[in-house]
Amino acid sequence: MLVKEEKKLMTYKNFPMVPRVVFGRGSFNQLDEILSPKRRNPQASFIFLVDDVFKGKAWLTSRIPLSYGDEILYISAKEEPKTSQVDEIVEQIILSSKERPSGIIGVGGGTILDLAKAVSILLTNEGSASEYQGWDLVKNPAIYHVGIPTISGTGAEVSRTTVLTGPDRKLGINSDYTPFDQVILDPELTKDVPRQQWFYTGMDCYIHCVESLNGTYLNAFSQSYGEKAFELCKEIFVYDKLSEKETQDKLMMASWHGGMSIAYSQVGVAHAMSYGLSYLLGTKHGIGNCIVFDHLEEFYPNGVALFKDMKKKHSIELPQGICENLNDDEFDIMINVALSLVPLWENAIGKDWKKTITPEKLRSLYEKM
Ligand code: NAD
Ligand code: ZN
């Protein structure tokens, strides 16, 4: 019996990584040479899911190599991605394509990257995206999919999940088939990110590091990536001695390392509570994390103190009072979403997290936001 228990404890995560990655300014130009060998036949097109912020931006769109029946679908990133949106895009692709596409290429931030991952899965797996929210529910390998981030911080380019808001929950499709087959990291693509958004998405990376490095799931693997990402975040957001290009390069690598860190540990309190905000109020991930993290001194004293310094340094004013007019039912919805994220709490507080993380406790925190 004891031997069996010990064996169970010895089971470690065997997680998939992105098998191919290009990094470098201007590497976006290599897209054609990367994709060409992956075209199955002239009828099997490539579908580019592109953030609609790039519509009419020829410096980017003219470099998307379109041939045969390849198509660009412009997609808004104003709202968090939804399972219904994935279903609609999949239906649109099936109806307009002669056969299964050769690949899906996502060009954008976390929102577009997550949609690209989910669409590539749903093109080979029947039913609605909502049926696959959870852990390891995907049965068939996704079609070839490529991620090209245009804003840095989420780590979505490297992760094993695609976070979606579904009919009854906000939860990722976590599976071995989720990670991209190819990622192109071209920091130049981030040059026009608006300043506030740059901060919010960058802070997503910073918060990944704080939550990973201060969690009970921490191990040497996640620590080594987390510490590197944390240092890079400090270089970028605190010391502020870098050129614009260095900042873009380093934040792109911080995002990657932060994503690698949480892949082998977990996020924590800010993410659990931010999912609640996002589910009820539609608050976007980056800003939602910032709003929550600002009030988490008791959990992450050093991390929050430094966050407040960075906020000040970059003149960021976070929205206040977003929970002011919520009723009891609405608070309960957010609290239940947050409490359902068991691994996040276990990582943050430990196995007996339920002793301190009660609905009342979460209500008192949400009331401050
Ligand atoms: P985003 O994709 O939502 O984009 C934020 C804003 O920046 C949008 O208005 C977008 O149009 C704009 N933008 C993006 N690139 C730009 C550019 N180069 N120039 C000008 N504007 C640009 O932002 P995000 O913070 O990267 O992504 C958030 C999403 O990522 C959330 O949906 C979240 O759930 C998800 N996420 C996923 C993971 C994962 O592991 N899969 C991890 C963290 C977050
Ligand atoms: Zn995050």
Side-chain angles (χ1 to χ4, degrees), residues 154 204 208 271 285 289:
T154 65
D204 189 21
H208 290 161
H271 276 74
H285 187 76
N289 281 351

Side-chain angles (χ1 to χ4, degrees), residues 35 39-49 64-73 92-105:
L35 295 181
R39 189 186 296 279
R40 291 201 317 279
N41 65 57
Q43 269 73 47
S45 47
F46 285 109
I47 310 289
F48 297 85
L49 306 185
I64 295 177
L66 296 175
S67 33
Y68 302 103
D70 297 349
E71 248 187 287
I72 296 180
L73 304 181
Q92 188 183 346
I93 292 173
I94 291 172
L95 291 178
S96 69
S97 310
K98 293 198 181 80
E99 61 173 88
R100 188 180 283 172
S102 290
I104 301 294
I105 298 96

Side-chain angles (χ1 to χ4, degrees), residues 57-127:
K57 302 274 166 33
W59 69 268
L60 184 134
T61 53
S62 66
R63 291 151 74 197
I64 295 177
L66 296 175
S67 33
Y68 302 103
D70 297 349
E71 248 187 287
I72 296 180
L73 304 181
Y74 286 106
I75 294 175
S76 166
K78 288 281 168 282
E79 290 179 5
E80 292 288 277
K82 297 183 190 60
T83 54
S84 57
Q85 193 182 4
V86 173
D87 297 344
E88 281 161 24
I89 297 171
V90 169
E91 191 181 353
Q92 188 183 346
I93 292 173
I94 291 172
L95 291 178
S96 69
S97 310
K98 293 198 181 80
E99 61 173 88
R100 188 180 283 172
S102 290
I104 301 294
I105 298 96
V107 184
T111 301
I112 305 297
L113 296 182
D114 276 1
L115 282 169
K117 292 191 209 180
V119 165
S120 71
I121 289 171
L122 268 293
L123 280 165
T124 53
N125 289 274
E126 279 180 3

